């Protein structure tokens, strides 16, 4: 019998949903450019995920962004969680690593973004005030040392690449970001150092709160510089 633990690190699950701790270098949804994905593993597992839109995935993390991902196990929960995200009733927090120091120890970033398509290149987002989608997030400096800074980020909206583009917009890109920063010319294959560390939401009967420790690759980098 197939077991979900064979596919993912499961933080929590009940009859309605599960919380996955997504690893680095794993796409959330199926993509022709990547052989492995969360969606692909859910399809391999089978029912109930194959009976749901996107195999129950209600939000996404970029391929090299690690951390918590919510997956519904039935249509009622899928619609409920999608509704919470649309109403901005799911609180999310991330940790991000940056070179240098932010201009302020805490702040807000807001702008509009839209997709930018360039032939034979990965899809990127760009700031656009005329017909884009609104982005808003808050950040706070956690620690700064040896020319690096660790931030806690609280996004209010949910847009593709929003955190990564937000910090590029203030000239403080996430460390090692291949699309929105200067990827290190080294053997570092981690990608951007961005980790979805916590999720918090409520239904009519219960409050849910989940957390995820930084992955070993992120911790190894931190221990060497902070």
């Amino acid at each position: 019998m197939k077991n979900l633990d064979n596919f993912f690190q499961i933080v929590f699950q009940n009859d309605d949903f599960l919380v996955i701790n997504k690893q680095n270098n794993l796409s959330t949804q199926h993509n022709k450019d990547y052989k492995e994905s969360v969606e692909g593993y859910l399809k391999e597992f089978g029912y109930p995920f194959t009976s749901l839109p996107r195999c129950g995935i209600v939000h996404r993390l970029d391929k090299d962004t690690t951390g918590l991902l919510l997956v519904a196990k039935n249509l009622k929960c899928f619609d409920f969680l999608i509704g919470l995200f649309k109403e901005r009733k799911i609180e999310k927090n991330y940790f991000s690593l940056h070179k240098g120091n932010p201009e302020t120890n805490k702040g807000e970033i807001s702008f509009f973004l839209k997709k930018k398509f360039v032939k034979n290149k990965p899809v990127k987002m760009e700031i656009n005030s005329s017909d884009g989608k609104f982005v808003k997030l808050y950040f706070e400096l956690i620690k700064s040392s040896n020319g690096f800074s660790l931030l806690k980020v609280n996004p209010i909206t949910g847009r593709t690449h929003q955190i990564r583009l937000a910090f590029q917009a203030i000239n403080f890109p996430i460390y090692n970001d291949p699309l929105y920063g200067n990827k290190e010319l080294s053997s570092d294959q981690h990608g951007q150092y961005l980790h979805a560390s916590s999720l918090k939401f409520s239904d009519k009967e219960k409050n849910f709160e989940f957390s995820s420790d930084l992955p070993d690759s992120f911790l190894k980098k931190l221990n060497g510089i902070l």
Side-chain angles (χ1 to χ4, degrees), residues 17 35 51 57 59 64 80 83 95 108 128 170 188-189 198:
F17 67 90
K35 294 181 179 180
S51 66
I57 297 170
H59 65 127
D64 291 327
F80 173 71
F95 287 117
E108 173 189 324
N128 184 288
I170 63 169
D188 192 336
Q189 300 299 312
S198 69

Side-chain angles (χ1 to χ4, degrees), residues 79-90 156:
D79 291 339
F80 173 71
L81 292 175
I82 289 288
L84 289 185
F85 274 109
K86 287 182 177 179
E87 295 168 10
R88 300 174 185 172
K89 291 183 178 179
I90 294 184
I156 305 303

Side-chain angles (χ1 to χ4, degrees), residues 142-192:
I142 301 300
K143 187 175 182 180
S144 183
S145 179
N146 295 320
F148 284 86
S149 296
L150 180 68
L151 304 186
K152 180 180 179 181
V153 185
N154 171 220
I156 305 303
T157 52
R159 311 296 188 197
T160 301
H161 297 180
Q162 62 177 6
I163 298 175
R164 299 165 66 187
L165 180 58
F167 286 110
Q168 182 197 54
I170 63 169
N171 298 313
F172 195 54
I174 295 172
Y175 177 68
N176 210 43
D177 190 328
L179 281 179
Y180 301 98
N182 297 315
K183 184 173 174 60
E184 295 298 295
L185 299 177
S186 70
S187 60
D188 192 336
Q189 300 299 312
H190 188 281
Q192 68 275 359

Side-chain angles (χ1 to χ4, degrees), residues 10-141:
I10 306 298
V11 175
F12 173 86
Q13 69 170 314
N14 59 18
D15 292 338
D16 294 317
F17 67 90
L18 69 150
V19 183
I20 295 168
N21 194 16
K22 192 184 83 64
Q23 66 194 58
N24 182 258
N25 195 31
L26 180 65
S27 176
T28 298
Q29 292 178 269
H30 177 72
N31 187 307
K32 63 181 178 62
D33 297 324
Y34 306 117
K35 294 181 179 180
E36 296 181 304
S37 68
V38 173
E39 184 179 16
Y41 287 144
L42 292 171
K43 284 182 179 178
E44 186 176 342
F45 182 83
Y47 183 83
F49 305 106
T50 49
S51 66
L52 299 171
R54 301 198 299 271
C55 288
I57 297 170
V58 296
H59 65 127
R60 65 181 296 275
L61 298 176
D62 296 336
K63 181 173 71 75
D64 291 327
T65 297
T66 55
L68 300 177
L69 191 68
L70 269 170
V71 180
K73 298 172 75 172
N74 56 65
L75 188 57
K76 182 179 179 181
C77 185
F78 181 86
D79 291 339
F80 173 71
L81 292 175
I82 289 288
L84 289 185
F85 274 109
K86 287 182 177 179
E87 295 168 10
R88 300 174 185 172
K89 291 183 178 179
I90 294 184
E91 182 180 326
K92 302 166 289 180
N93 286 291
Y94 291 70
F95 287 117
S96 60
L97 182 66
H98 306 252
K99 265 190 172 180
N101 299 296
E103 292 185 357
T104 60
N105 287 345
K106 59 175 60 177
E108 173 189 324
I109 306 174
S110 59
F111 56 93
F112 291 83
L113 60 69
K114 65 177 294 186
K115 285 186 178 180
K116 178 182 180 180
F117 296 97
V118 179
K119 188 176 181 180
N120 297 324
K121 289 188 177 183
V123 174
K124 289 183 69 173
M125 309 304 290
E126 64 178 358
I127 293 176
N128 184 288
S129 60
S130 60
D131 60 355
K133 295 182 178 180
F134 181 64
V135 169
K136 183 177 181 179
L137 62 83
Y138 298 99
F139 68 88
E140 179 180 358
L141 177 65

